[in-house]
Amino acid sequence: AATPGKVPKVVVVVCLLRGNKVLLGRRRSSLGDSTFSLPGGHLEFGESFEECATREVKEETGLDIEKLEFLTVTNNMFLDKAKPYHYVVISIRAVLADHQQPQNIEPDFCDGCGWYEWNILPKPLFSPLEKAIQAGFNPFPF
Ligand code: 8DG
Ligand code: MG
Ligand code: MG
């Protein structure tokens, strides 16, 4: 049903892979506070998915990424909130452009990020990421 004044937003998130590890940050946000999620953010007007992925990862971690590939799209809704959200989330896979260490550039929004083995992911994961993984999502090409 159409909700007056509400529109879905487009978000790009990045599965940045290094060996069998993925980069996750601990959120500081009213949505999913203290949970682990992928770097990413809102698609800006006129941007390609790859440009958005590259920009958001750089803004949030200082890292330069390459070999970007489209993975999947998910429809993530948080409707049972005082302020409901609806995101169309484009997931992109990427690797580091060279040997670099992540920095926490937005400490107000993230407690820091680190590399986690896919088989030993930290808890709690951000709910839409947890759901996707339960449904079989796996960003690794092998
Ligand atoms: P921006 O202002 O930089 O564009 O956005 P941001 O401040 O970086 O926003 P964000 O919270 O990182 O991402 C926007 C929304 O995307 C977030 O509130 C909920 C949705 N989202 C998901 N899954 C994921 C995910 O795994 N990682 C991130 N970062 N956002 C996600 O539904
Ligand atoms: Mg973000
Ligand atoms: Mg951002």
Side-chain angles (χ1 to χ4, degrees), residues 27 37-42 56 60 106 109:
R27 300 175 66 77
S37 77
L38 300 164
H42 300 89
E56 284 288 345
E60 296 182 357
E106 297 180 332
F109 300 107

Side-chain angles (χ1 to χ4, degrees), residues 65-138:
I65 58 174
E66 65 179 15
K67 300 200 171 86
L68 281 72
E69 290 176 87
F70 170 81
L71 284 175
T72 191
V73 59
T74 51
N75 199 19
N76 297 353
M77 289 175 259
F78 310 83
L79 300 179
D80 54 349
K81 305 262 176 200
K83 186 168 183 264
Y85 297 89
H86 182 174
Y87 295 104
V88 174
V89 177
I90 314 295
S91 296
I92 298 280
R93 166 167 71 212
V95 296
L96 287 174
D98 49 47
H99 189 79
Q100 313 163 60
Q101 300 294 341
Q103 298 162 253
N104 191 17
I105 295 184
E106 297 180 332
D108 289 349
F109 300 107
C110 181
D111 281 340
C113 54
W115 300 100
Y116 295 92
E117 270 186 54
W118 186 254
N119 294 325
I120 320 172
L121 290 173
K123 286 187 176 101
L125 290 174
F126 189 35
S127 61
L129 180 59
E130 175 72 43
K131 245 193 230 172
I133 293 171
Q134 303 259 338
F137 175 69
N138 183 329

Side-chain angles (χ1 to χ4, degrees), residues 12-16 22-23 38-40 53-54 57 65 90-94:
V12 176
V13 299
V14 181
C15 294
L16 183 51
V22 62
L23 191 78
L38 300 164
T54 303
V57 169
I65 58 174
I90 314 295
S91 296
I92 298 280
R93 166 167 71 212

